[in-house]
Amino acid sequence: MTVSRVKTAILISGRGSNMRALVEAAQEPDFPAEIALVFSNVPDAAGLHIANAFGIPTSALSHRDFGTREAFERALDAKLGDHGVELVCLAGFMRLLSEWFVDHWAGRMINIHPSLLPSFRGLETHARALKAGVLIHGCTVHYVVADLDAGPIVAQAAVPVLAGDTPKTLAARVLSQEHRLYPMALRLVASGATRLEDTRVVTSVNASADVVMIVPGPIPLSKGSGRAFEPLGR
Ligand code: GRF
């Protein structure tokens, strides 16, 4: 059976590890999206080399070469049109998008963010999660709306925050879940199982049943560690 695959562009600015996860997933014969283009606003982004190695068409336009945000986005939009793109995945794309571009791609553009939204929108999410003292952290795939990291949620994955974590160790734990979550979310959106109706996500599957929820097991206290707190009244 031939599956009709949704032509999808991935927009990156850097190393492209999520892009690679999406490209690898899209190699499955039953995957509902075809990666038609990897685009970067940073012409020497490492991820472009990865895409090239997979034989995926790539394109780069530096935003610095355009006088206005809109001029850059019009050129980007033209590239997407040239490649017949129907769906856009932002994967570490470090440019704020204008209301025009976001409205133009409304319901057809998703992003991955390294926190459990709506907590920790914006940058440095891992350091901020550690500072806040949360015990569960994670990542979110959401539809893109004009407000940064505020769009309707498609899927989430959670990881524990462990004693001794640094922003780096926590980022690595989250990233490995991003690589599982984003392909799953793209599968939901490209297949039509999940879609945006007005401002609400409508889904025909229980996406939350499939997310990666990692819960810490019993706490391994070393022998003789004793009680930290004696019961009251003794
Ligand atoms: C990821 O952590 C993603 O959640 C965030 O930017 C990072 C991109 O990493 N939006 P990579 O380029 O996919 O490796």
Side-chain angles (χ1 to χ4, degrees), residues 5-11 31-37 80 83-90 105-111 143 182 185-192 194:
R5 285 146 56 89
V6 177
K7 283 185 186 279
T8 301
I10 307 174
L11 274 47
F31 199 79
E34 169 199 337
I35 309 306
L37 177 68
L80 299 176
H83 288 80
V85 169
E86 301 161 284
L87 188 62
V88 174
C89 292
L90 306 183
W105 286 93
R108 302 181 295 149
M109 179 158 60
I110 57 178
N111 177 46
Y143 284 99
Y182 212 176
L186 176 56
R187 184 183 275 279
L188 290 172
V189 172
S191 67
T194 293

PDB file of all heavy atoms in Angstrom, residues 5-11 31-37 80 83-90 105-111 143 182 185-192 194:
ATOM      1  N   ARG A   5       2.356  10.830   1.636  1.00  0.00           N
ATOM      2  CA  ARG A   5       3.165  11.432   2.681  1.00  0.00           C
ATOM      3  C   ARG A   5       3.143  12.949   2.595  1.00  0.00           C
ATOM      4  O   ARG A   5       3.238  13.521   1.509  1.00  0.00           O
ATOM      5  CB  ARG A   5       4.592  10.885   2.577  1.00  0.00           C
ATOM      6  CG  ARG A   5       4.669   9.456   3.110  1.00  0.00           C
ATOM      7  CD  ARG A   5       5.656   8.586   2.377  1.00  0.00           C
ATOM      8  NE  ARG A   5       7.015   9.065   2.321  1.00  0.00           N
ATOM      9  CZ  ARG A   5       7.957   8.806   3.226  1.00  0.00           C
ATOM     10  NH1 ARG A   5       7.675   8.095   4.295  1.00  0.00           N
ATOM     11  NH2 ARG A   5       9.171   9.235   3.062  1.00  0.00           N
ATOM     12  N   VAL A   6       3.019  13.576   3.743  1.00  0.00           N
ATOM     13  CA  VAL A   6       2.924  15.035   3.796  1.00  0.00           C
ATOM     14  C   VAL A   6       4.320  15.633   3.649  1.00  0.00           C
ATOM     15  O   VAL A   6       5.237  15.301   4.410  1.00  0.00           O
ATOM     16  CB  VAL A   6       2.303  15.468   5.149  1.00  0.00           C
ATOM     17  CG1 VAL A   6       2.253  16.982   5.252  1.00  0.00           C
ATOM     18  CG2 VAL A   6       0.918  14.873   5.310  1.00  0.00           C
ATOM     19  N   LYS A   7       4.462  16.517   2.675  1.00  0.00           N
ATOM     20  CA  LYS A   7       5.781  17.139   2.455  1.00  0.00           C
ATOM     21  C   LYS A   7       6.085  18.106   3.590  1.00  0.00           C
ATOM     22  O   LYS A   7       5.333  19.062   3.830  1.00  0.00           O
ATOM     23  CB  LYS A   7       5.785  17.876   1.120  1.00  0.00           C
ATOM     24  CG  LYS A   7       5.925  16.942  -0.065  1.00  0.00           C
ATOM     25  CD  LYS A   7       6.050  17.755  -1.346  1.00  0.00           C
ATOM     26  CE  LYS A   7       6.057  16.869  -2.559  1.00  0.00           C
ATOM     27  NZ  LYS A   7       7.328  16.273  -2.853  1.00  0.00           N
ATOM     28  N   THR A   8       7.179  17.815   4.273  1.00  0.00           N
ATOM     29  CA  THR A   8       7.502  18.523   5.514  1.00  0.00           C
ATOM     30  C   THR A   8       8.878  19.176   5.416  1.00  0.00           C
ATOM     31  O   THR A   8       9.821  18.564   4.905  1.00  0.00           O
ATOM     32  CB  THR A   8       7.483  17.498   6.675  1.00  0.00           C
ATOM     33  OG1 THR A   8       6.172  16.917   6.731  1.00  0.00           O
ATOM     34  CG2 THR A   8       7.821  18.131   8.007  1.00  0.00           C
ATOM     35  N   ALA A   9       8.966  20.407   5.928  1.00  0.00           N
ATOM     36  CA  ALA A   9      10.271  21.082   6.027  1.00  0.00           C
ATOM     37  C   ALA A   9      10.683  21.128   7.483  1.00  0.00           C
ATOM     38  O   ALA A   9       9.834  21.269   8.373  1.00  0.00           O
ATOM     39  CB  ALA A   9      10.184  22.502   5.490  1.00  0.00           C
ATOM     40  N   ILE A  10      11.973  20.977   7.730  1.00  0.00           N
ATOM     41  CA  ILE A  10      12.499  21.131   9.088  1.00  0.00           C
ATOM     42  C   ILE A  10      13.389  22.366   9.090  1.00  0.00           C
ATOM     43  O   ILE A  10      14.291  22.485   8.247  1.00  0.00           O
ATOM     44  CB  ILE A  10      13.305  19.888   9.523  1.00  0.00           C
ATOM     45  CG1 ILE A  10      12.472  18.615   9.325  1.00  0.00           C
ATOM     46  CG2 ILE A  10      13.733  20.025  10.977  1.00  0.00           C
ATOM     47  CD1 ILE A  10      13.244  17.325   9.583  1.00  0.00           C
ATOM     48  N   LEU A  11      13.118  23.275  10.018  1.00  0.00           N
ATOM     49  CA  LEU A  11      13.896  24.520  10.119  1.00  0.00           C
ATOM     50  C   LEU A  11      14.842  24.421  11.304  1.00  0.00           C
ATOM     51  O   LEU A  11      14.389  24.136  12.439  1.00  0.00           O
ATOM     52  CB  LEU A  11      12.948  25.718  10.306  1.00  0.00           C
ATOM     53  CG  LEU A  11      12.356  26.364   9.050  1.00  0.00           C
ATOM     54  CD1 LEU A  11      11.794  25.375   8.058  1.00  0.00           C
ATOM     55  CD2 LEU A  11      11.339  27.426   9.407  1.00  0.00           C
ATOM     56  N   PHE A  31       5.785   5.892   7.476  1.00  0.00           N
ATOM     57  CA  PHE A  31       5.765   7.197   8.152  1.00  0.00           C
ATOM     58  C   PHE A  31       4.972   8.193   7.307  1.00  0.00           C
ATOM     59  O   PHE A  31       5.189   8.296   6.094  1.00  0.00           O
ATOM     60  CB  PHE A  31       7.196   7.710   8.388  1.00  0.00           C
ATOM     61  CG  PHE A  31       7.268   8.767   9.447  1.00  0.00           C
ATOM     62  CD1 PHE A  31       7.245   8.427  10.790  1.00  0.00           C
ATOM     63  CD2 PHE A  31       7.323  10.115   9.112  1.00  0.00           C
ATOM     64  CE1 PHE A  31       7.286   9.404  11.777  1.00  0.00           C
ATOM     65  CE2 PHE A  31       7.369  11.102  10.090  1.00  0.00           C
ATOM     66  CZ  PHE A  31       7.353  10.740  11.422  1.00  0.00           C
ATOM     67  N   PRO A  32       4.056   8.958   7.907  1.00  0.00           N
ATOM     68  CA  PRO A  32       3.158   9.793   7.100  1.00  0.00           C
ATOM     69  C   PRO A  32       3.756  11.112   6.604  1.00  0.00           C
ATOM     70  O   PRO A  32       3.063  11.878   5.938  1.00  0.00           O
ATOM     71  CB  PRO A  32       1.984  10.058   8.052  1.00  0.00           C
ATOM     72  CG  PRO A  32       2.570   9.937   9.414  1.00  0.00           C
ATOM     73  CD  PRO A  32       3.675   8.938   9.330  1.00  0.00           C
ATOM     74  N   ALA A  33       5.025  11.396   6.941  1.00  0.00           N
ATOM     75  CA  ALA A  33       5.647  12.630   6.446  1.00  0.00           C
ATOM     76  C   ALA A  33       6.899  12.297   5.648  1.00  0.00           C
ATOM     77  O   ALA A  33       7.624  11.366   5.981  1.00  0.00           O
ATOM     78  CB  ALA A  33       6.016  13.541   7.619  1.00  0.00           C
ATOM     79  N   GLU A  34       7.112  13.125   4.623  1.00  0.00           N
ATOM     80  CA  GLU A  34       8.353  13.019   3.847  1.00  0.00           C
ATOM     81  C   GLU A  34       9.130  14.308   4.111  1.00  0.00           C
ATOM     82  O   GLU A  34       8.560  15.395   4.045  1.00  0.00           O
ATOM     83  CB  GLU A  34       7.979  12.926   2.364  1.00  0.00           C
ATOM     84  CG  GLU A  34       9.138  13.066   1.420  1.00  0.00           C
ATOM     85  CD  GLU A  34       8.668  13.441  -0.009  1.00  0.00           C
ATOM     86  OE1 GLU A  34       7.502  13.175  -0.357  1.00  0.00           O
ATOM     87  OE2 GLU A  34       9.489  14.019  -0.728  1.00  0.00           O
ATOM     88  N   ILE A  35      10.411  14.180   4.441  1.00  0.00           N
ATOM     89  CA  ILE A  35      11.187  15.399   4.703  1.00  0.00           C
ATOM     90  C   ILE A  35      11.641  15.951   3.348  1.00  0.00           C
ATOM     91  O   ILE A  35      12.552  15.431   2.703  1.00  0.00           O
ATOM     92  CB  ILE A  35      12.391  15.137   5.645  1.00  0.00           C
ATOM     93  CG1 ILE A  35      11.922  14.397   6.922  1.00  0.00           C
ATOM     94  CG2 ILE A  35      13.075  16.458   5.991  1.00  0.00           C
ATOM     95  CD1 ILE A  35      10.794  15.045   7.701  1.00  0.00           C
ATOM     96  N   ALA A  36      10.959  17.020   2.936  1.00  0.00           N
ATOM     97  CA  ALA A  36      11.182  17.558   1.586  1.00  0.00           C
ATOM     98  C   ALA A  36      12.275  18.621   1.584  1.00  0.00           C
ATOM     99  O   ALA A  36      12.821  18.942   0.521  1.00  0.00           O
ATOM    100  CB  ALA A  36       9.877  18.160   1.066  1.00  0.00           C
ATOM    101  N   LEU A  37      12.566  19.186   2.771  1.00  0.00           N
ATOM    102  CA  LEU A  37      13.554  20.271   2.822  1.00  0.00           C
ATOM    103  C   LEU A  37      14.041  20.453   4.254  1.00  0.00           C
ATOM    104  O   LEU A  37      13.248  20.379   5.202  1.00  0.00           O
ATOM    105  CB  LEU A  37      12.891  21.592   2.368  1.00  0.00           C
ATOM    106  CG  LEU A  37      13.755  22.850   2.431  1.00  0.00           C
ATOM    107  CD1 LEU A  37      14.878  22.791   1.393  1.00  0.00           C
ATOM    108  CD2 LEU A  37      12.907  24.109   2.206  1.00  0.00           C
ATOM    109  N   LEU A  80       9.900  27.385   0.805  1.00  0.00           N
ATOM    110  CA  LEU A  80       8.989  26.318   1.223  1.00  0.00           C
ATOM    111  C   LEU A  80       8.040  25.989   0.070  1.00  0.00           C
ATOM    112  O   LEU A  80       7.777  24.821  -0.231  1.00  0.00           O
ATOM    113  CB  LEU A  80       8.209  26.737   2.474  1.00  0.00           C
ATOM    114  CG  LEU A  80       9.070  27.039   3.727  1.00  0.00           C
ATOM    115  CD1 LEU A  80       8.190  27.552   4.874  1.00  0.00           C
ATOM    116  CD2 LEU A  80       9.847  25.810   4.177  1.00  0.00           C
ATOM    117  N   HIS A  83       9.497  23.876  -2.711  1.00  0.00           N
ATOM    118  CA  HIS A  83       9.635  22.452  -2.390  1.00  0.00           C
ATOM    119  C   HIS A  83       8.281  21.801  -2.068  1.00  0.00           C
ATOM    120  O   HIS A  83       8.238  20.683  -1.560  1.00  0.00           O
ATOM    121  CB  HIS A  83      10.614  22.253  -1.223  1.00  0.00           C
ATOM    122  CG  HIS A  83      12.045  22.509  -1.637  1.00  0.00           C
ATOM    123  ND1 HIS A  83      12.578  23.780  -1.740  1.00  0.00           N
ATOM    124  CD2 HIS A  83      13.026  21.660  -2.021  1.00  0.00           C
ATOM    125  CE1 HIS A  83      13.839  23.693  -2.143  1.00  0.00           C
ATOM    126  NE2 HIS A  83      14.131  22.421  -2.325  1.00  0.00           N
ATOM    127  N   GLY A  84       7.223  22.506  -2.333  1.00  0.00           N
ATOM    128  CA  GLY A  84       5.879  21.936  -2.124  1.00  0.00           C
ATOM    129  C   GLY A  84       5.578  21.609  -0.668  1.00  0.00           C
ATOM    130  O   GLY A  84       4.799  20.689  -0.369  1.00  0.00           O
ATOM    131  N   VAL A  85       6.182  22.377   0.248  1.00  0.00           N
ATOM    132  CA  VAL A  85       6.044  22.062   1.680  1.00  0.00           C
ATOM    133  C   VAL A  85       4.621  22.324   2.177  1.00  0.00           C
ATOM    134  O   VAL A  85       4.017  23.354   1.874  1.00  0.00           O
ATOM    135  CB  VAL A  85       7.076  22.882   2.498  1.00  0.00           C
ATOM    136  CG1 VAL A  85       6.800  22.783   3.993  1.00  0.00           C
ATOM    137  CG2 VAL A  85       8.486  22.417   2.161  1.00  0.00           C
ATOM    138  N   GLU A  86       4.110  21.339   2.941  1.00  0.00           N
ATOM    139  CA  GLU A  86       2.758  21.455   3.496  1.00  0.00           C
ATOM    140  C   GLU A  86       2.777  21.610   5.013  1.00  0.00           C
ATOM    141  O   GLU A  86       1.798  22.026   5.626  1.00  0.00           O
ATOM    142  CB  GLU A  86       1.961  20.190   3.160  1.00  0.00           C
ATOM    143  CG  GLU A  86       1.842  19.925   1.665  1.00  0.00           C
ATOM    144  CD  GLU A  86       1.482  18.485   1.364  1.00  0.00           C
ATOM    145  OE1 GLU A  86       2.384  17.615   1.462  1.00  0.00           O
ATOM    146  OE2 GLU A  86       0.311  18.230   1.064  1.00  0.00           O
ATOM    147  N   LEU A  87       3.883  21.201   5.631  1.00  0.00           N
ATOM    148  CA  LEU A  87       3.967  21.182   7.097  1.00  0.00           C
ATOM    149  C   LEU A  87       5.384  21.612   7.491  1.00  0.00           C
ATOM    150  O   LEU A  87       6.349  21.233   6.811  1.00  0.00           O
ATOM    151  CB  LEU A  87       3.698  19.741   7.556  1.00  0.00           C
ATOM    152  CG  LEU A  87       3.528  19.434   9.027  1.00  0.00           C
ATOM    153  CD1 LEU A  87       2.322  20.166   9.600  1.00  0.00           C
ATOM    154  CD2 LEU A  87       3.317  17.915   9.179  1.00  0.00           C
ATOM    155  N   VAL A  88       5.489  22.393   8.552  1.00  0.00           N
ATOM    156  CA  VAL A  88       6.808  22.891   8.981  1.00  0.00           C
ATOM    157  C   VAL A  88       7.091  22.425  10.400  1.00  0.00           C
ATOM    158  O   VAL A  88       6.243  22.549  11.289  1.00  0.00           O
ATOM    159  CB  VAL A  88       6.844  24.441   8.927  1.00  0.00           C
ATOM    160  CG1 VAL A  88       8.150  24.980   9.513  1.00  0.00           C
ATOM    161  CG2 VAL A  88       6.674  24.937   7.487  1.00  0.00           C
ATOM    162  N   CYS A  89       8.303  21.889  10.612  1.00  0.00           N
ATOM    163  CA  CYS A  89       8.759  21.516  11.960  1.00  0.00           C
ATOM    164  C   CYS A  89       9.925  22.421  12.333  1.00  0.00           C
ATOM    165  O   CYS A  89      10.948  22.423  11.643  1.00  0.00           O
ATOM    166  CB  CYS A  89       9.292  20.077  11.985  1.00  0.00           C
ATOM    167  SG  CYS A  89       8.045  18.838  11.735  1.00  0.00           S
ATOM    168  N   LEU A  90       9.768  23.168  13.413  1.00  0.00           N
ATOM    169  CA  LEU A  90      10.898  23.943  13.930  1.00  0.00           C
ATOM    170  C   LEU A  90      11.680  23.031  14.859  1.00  0.00           C
ATOM    171  O   LEU A  90      11.097  22.393  15.752  1.00  0.00           O
ATOM    172  CB  LEU A  90      10.400  25.171  14.708  1.00  0.00           C
ATOM    173  CG  LEU A  90       9.424  26.107  13.990  1.00  0.00           C
ATOM    174  CD1 LEU A  90       9.095  27.301  14.896  1.00  0.00           C
ATOM    175  CD2 LEU A  90       9.996  26.580  12.661  1.00  0.00           C
ATOM    176  N   TRP A 105       1.106  29.935   8.448  1.00  0.00           N
ATOM    177  CA  TRP A 105       1.339  28.505   8.639  1.00  0.00           C
ATOM    178  C   TRP A 105       0.524  27.961   9.831  1.00  0.00           C
ATOM    179  O   TRP A 105       0.804  26.856  10.318  1.00  0.00           O
ATOM    180  CB  TRP A 105       2.839  28.230   8.824  1.00  0.00           C
ATOM    181  CG  TRP A 105       3.559  28.351   7.517  1.00  0.00           C
ATOM    182  CD1 TRP A 105       4.179  29.457   7.017  1.00  0.00           C
ATOM    183  CD2 TRP A 105       3.687  27.328   6.516  1.00  0.00           C
ATOM    184  NE1 TRP A 105       4.684  29.189   5.763  1.00  0.00           N
ATOM    185  CE2 TRP A 105       4.403  27.883   5.434  1.00  0.00           C
ATOM    186  CE3 TRP A 105       3.268  25.994   6.428  1.00  0.00           C
ATOM    187  CZ2 TRP A 105       4.709  27.161   4.278  1.00  0.00           C
ATOM    188  CZ3 TRP A 105       3.584  25.270   5.289  1.00  0.00           C
ATOM    189  CH2 TRP A 105       4.285  25.857   4.222  1.00  0.00           C
ATOM    190  N   ALA A 106      -0.471  28.690  10.249  1.00  0.00           N
ATOM    191  CA  ALA A 106      -1.243  28.295  11.439  1.00  0.00           C
ATOM    192  C   ALA A 106      -1.824  26.891  11.278  1.00  0.00           C
ATOM    193  O   ALA A 106      -2.427  26.564  10.241  1.00  0.00           O
ATOM    194  CB  ALA A 106      -2.366  29.295  11.684  1.00  0.00           C
ATOM    195  N   GLY A 107      -1.608  26.070  12.283  1.00  0.00           N
ATOM    196  CA  GLY A 107      -2.121  24.696  12.253  1.00  0.00           C
ATOM    197  C   GLY A 107      -1.259  23.766  11.419  1.00  0.00           C
ATOM    198  O   GLY A 107      -1.527  22.569  11.330  1.00  0.00           O
ATOM    199  N   ARG A 108      -0.204  24.332  10.792  1.00  0.00           N
ATOM    200  CA  ARG A 108       0.670  23.531   9.919  1.00  0.00           C
ATOM    201  C   ARG A 108       2.133  23.709  10.317  1.00  0.00           C
ATOM    202  O   ARG A 108       3.035  23.411   9.551  1.00  0.00           O
ATOM    203  CB  ARG A 108       0.484  23.965   8.455  1.00  0.00           C
ATOM    204  CG  ARG A 108      -0.949  23.839   7.953  1.00  0.00           C
ATOM    205  CD  ARG A 108      -1.061  24.255   6.503  1.00  0.00           C
ATOM    206  NE  ARG A 108      -0.757  25.667   6.325  1.00  0.00           N
ATOM    207  CZ  ARG A 108      -0.206  26.189   5.235  1.00  0.00           C
ATOM    208  NH1 ARG A 108       0.143  25.410   4.224  1.00  0.00           N
ATOM    209  NH2 ARG A 108       0.022  27.478   5.136  1.00  0.00           N
ATOM    210  N   MET A 109       2.360  24.215  11.530  1.00  0.00           N
ATOM    211  CA  MET A 109       3.745  24.428  11.987  1.00  0.00           C
ATOM    212  C   MET A 109       3.842  24.029  13.460  1.00  0.00           C
ATOM    213  O   MET A 109       3.066  24.497  14.298  1.00  0.00           O
ATOM    214  CB  MET A 109       4.136  25.896  11.793  1.00  0.00           C
ATOM    215  CG  MET A 109       5.543  26.196  12.273  1.00  0.00           C
ATOM    216  SD  MET A 109       6.264  27.686  11.497  1.00  0.00           S
ATOM    217  CE  MET A 109       5.107  28.947  11.995  1.00  0.00           C
ATOM    218  N   ILE A 110       4.801  23.146  13.749  1.00  0.00           N
ATOM    219  CA  ILE A 110       5.002  22.682  15.123  1.00  0.00           C
ATOM    220  C   ILE A 110       6.450  22.933  15.546  1.00  0.00           C
ATOM    221  O   ILE A 110       7.330  23.127  14.718  1.00  0.00           O
ATOM    222  CB  ILE A 110       4.613  21.187  15.308  1.00  0.00           C
ATOM    223  CG1 ILE A 110       5.399  20.277  14.349  1.00  0.00           C
ATOM    224  CG2 ILE A 110       3.115  20.993  15.131  1.00  0.00           C
ATOM    225  CD1 ILE A 110       5.090  18.779  14.518  1.00  0.00           C
ATOM    226  N   ASN A 111       6.648  22.936  16.866  1.00  0.00           N
ATOM    227  CA  ASN A 111       7.973  23.231  17.429  1.00  0.00           C
ATOM    228  C   ASN A 111       8.232  22.274  18.581  1.00  0.00           C
ATOM    229  O   ASN A 111       7.289  21.798  19.225  1.00  0.00           O
ATOM    230  CB  ASN A 111       7.979  24.669  17.965  1.00  0.00           C
ATOM    231  CG  ASN A 111       9.302  25.038  18.627  1.00  0.00           C
ATOM    232  OD1 ASN A 111      10.377  24.770  18.091  1.00  0.00           O
ATOM    233  ND2 ASN A 111       9.233  25.642  19.799  1.00  0.00           N
ATOM    234  N   TYR A 143       1.924  23.311  18.645  1.00  0.00           N
ATOM    235  CA  TYR A 143       1.682  24.144  17.466  1.00  0.00           C
ATOM    236  C   TYR A 143       2.261  25.525  17.733  1.00  0.00           C
ATOM    237  O   TYR A 143       2.262  25.994  18.884  1.00  0.00           O
ATOM    238  CB  TYR A 143       0.182  24.265  17.190  1.00  0.00           C
ATOM    239  CG  TYR A 143      -0.402  23.010  16.570  1.00  0.00           C
ATOM    240  CD1 TYR A 143      -1.073  22.086  17.345  1.00  0.00           C
ATOM    241  CD2 TYR A 143      -0.265  22.762  15.212  1.00  0.00           C
ATOM    242  CE1 TYR A 143      -1.602  20.928  16.791  1.00  0.00           C
ATOM    243  CE2 TYR A 143      -0.789  21.606  14.636  1.00  0.00           C
ATOM    244  CZ  TYR A 143      -1.461  20.703  15.426  1.00  0.00           C
ATOM    245  OH  TYR A 143      -1.967  19.560  14.861  1.00  0.00           O
ATOM    246  N   TYR A 182       9.592  13.843  19.235  1.00  0.00           N
ATOM    247  CA  TYR A 182       9.282  14.643  18.040  1.00  0.00           C
ATOM    248  C   TYR A 182       8.799  13.752  16.877  1.00  0.00           C
ATOM    249  O   TYR A 182       7.785  14.068  16.239  1.00  0.00           O
ATOM    250  CB  TYR A 182      10.491  15.514  17.660  1.00  0.00           C
ATOM    251  CG  TYR A 182      10.115  16.850  17.026  1.00  0.00           C
ATOM    252  CD1 TYR A 182      11.079  17.801  16.703  1.00  0.00           C
ATOM    253  CD2 TYR A 182       8.785  17.180  16.750  1.00  0.00           C
ATOM    254  CE1 TYR A 182      10.737  19.026  16.127  1.00  0.00           C
ATOM    255  CE2 TYR A 182       8.438  18.395  16.175  1.00  0.00           C
ATOM    256  CZ  TYR A 182       9.426  19.308  15.866  1.00  0.00           C
ATOM    257  OH  TYR A 182       9.079  20.524  15.295  1.00  0.00           O
ATOM    258  N   ALA A 185       5.252  12.857  17.588  1.00  0.00           N
ATOM    259  CA  ALA A 185       4.339  13.994  17.406  1.00  0.00           C
ATOM    260  C   ALA A 185       4.138  14.291  15.923  1.00  0.00           C
ATOM    261  O   ALA A 185       3.015  14.569  15.485  1.00  0.00           O
ATOM    262  CB  ALA A 185       4.905  15.220  18.124  1.00  0.00           C
ATOM    263  N   LEU A 186       5.215  14.213  15.147  1.00  0.00           N
ATOM    264  CA  LEU A 186       5.073  14.473  13.705  1.00  0.00           C
ATOM    265  C   LEU A 186       4.184  13.409  13.069  1.00  0.00           C
ATOM    266  O   LEU A 186       3.372  13.699  12.189  1.00  0.00           O
ATOM    267  CB  LEU A 186       6.454  14.523  13.029  1.00  0.00           C
ATOM    268  CG  LEU A 186       6.437  14.694  11.508  1.00  0.00           C
ATOM    269  CD1 LEU A 186       5.652  15.939  11.072  1.00  0.00           C
ATOM    270  CD2 LEU A 186       7.856  14.748  10.942  1.00  0.00           C
ATOM    271  N   ARG A 187       4.322  12.180  13.551  1.00  0.00           N
ATOM    272  CA  ARG A 187       3.463  11.108  13.035  1.00  0.00           C
ATOM    273  C   ARG A 187       1.984  11.440  13.300  1.00  0.00           C
ATOM    274  O   ARG A 187       1.122  11.288  12.433  1.00  0.00           O
ATOM    275  CB  ARG A 187       3.837   9.776  13.686  1.00  0.00           C
ATOM    276  CG  ARG A 187       3.080   8.581  13.157  1.00  0.00           C
ATOM    277  CD  ARG A 187       3.464   7.322  13.904  1.00  0.00           C
ATOM    278  NE  ARG A 187       4.656   6.674  13.393  1.00  0.00           N
ATOM    279  CZ  ARG A 187       4.689   5.878  12.324  1.00  0.00           C
ATOM    280  NH1 ARG A 187       3.583   5.635  11.631  1.00  0.00           N
ATOM    281  NH2 ARG A 187       5.810   5.320  11.934  1.00  0.00           N
ATOM    282  N   LEU A 188       1.698  11.921  14.505  1.00  0.00           N
ATOM    283  CA  LEU A 188       0.314  12.263  14.857  1.00  0.00           C
ATOM    284  C   LEU A 188      -0.219  13.384  13.970  1.00  0.00           C
ATOM    285  O   LEU A 188      -1.348  13.323  13.475  1.00  0.00           O
ATOM    286  CB  LEU A 188       0.239  12.717  16.331  1.00  0.00           C
ATOM    287  CG  LEU A 188       0.462  11.655  17.395  1.00  0.00           C
ATOM    288  CD1 LEU A 188       0.545  12.301  18.779  1.00  0.00           C
ATOM    289  CD2 LEU A 188      -0.660  10.625  17.365  1.00  0.00           C
ATOM    290  N   VAL A 189       0.608  14.415  13.782  1.00  0.00           N
ATOM    291  CA  VAL A 189       0.134  15.598  13.044  1.00  0.00           C
ATOM    292  C   VAL A 189       0.044  15.303  11.539  1.00  0.00           C
ATOM    293  O   VAL A 189      -0.957  15.621  10.896  1.00  0.00           O
ATOM    294  CB  VAL A 189       1.066  16.807  13.322  1.00  0.00           C
ATOM    295  CG1 VAL A 189       0.729  17.983  12.425  1.00  0.00           C
ATOM    296  CG2 VAL A 189       0.945  17.222  14.802  1.00  0.00           C
ATOM    297  N   ALA A 190       1.082  14.669  11.000  1.00  0.00           N
ATOM    298  CA  ALA A 190       1.095  14.423   9.550  1.00  0.00           C
ATOM    299  C   ALA A 190       0.018  13.429   9.134  1.00  0.00           C
ATOM    300  O   ALA A 190      -0.527  13.504   8.034  1.00  0.00           O
ATOM    301  CB  ALA A 190       2.474  13.933   9.116  1.00  0.00           C
ATOM    302  N   SER A 191      -0.306  12.495  10.022  1.00  0.00           N
ATOM    303  CA  SER A 191      -1.327  11.498   9.677  1.00  0.00           C
ATOM    304  C   SER A 191      -2.737  12.072   9.809  1.00  0.00           C
ATOM    305  O   SER A 191      -3.702  11.465   9.359  1.00  0.00           O
ATOM    306  CB  SER A 191      -1.204  10.275  10.599  1.00  0.00           C
ATOM    307  OG  SER A 191      -1.542  10.666  11.923  1.00  0.00           O
ATOM    308  N   GLY A 192      -2.844  13.228  10.467  1.00  0.00           N
ATOM    309  CA  GLY A 192      -4.159  13.823  10.691  1.00  0.00           C
ATOM    310  C   GLY A 192      -4.805  13.306  11.967  1.00  0.00           C
ATOM    311  O   GLY A 192      -5.914  13.720  12.314  1.00  0.00           O
ATOM    312  N   THR A 194      -3.911  13.976  14.876  1.00  0.00           N
ATOM    313  CA  THR A 194      -3.977  15.157  15.745  1.00  0.00           C
ATOM    314  C   THR A 194      -4.036  16.382  14.856  1.00  0.00           C
ATOM    315  O   THR A 194      -3.288  16.482  13.886  1.00  0.00           O
ATOM    316  CB  THR A 194      -2.723  15.216  16.651  1.00  0.00           C
ATOM    317  OG1 THR A 194      -2.768  14.130  17.568  1.00  0.00           O
ATOM    318  CG2 THR A 194      -2.659  16.516  17.425  1.00  0.00           C
TER     319      THR A 194
END
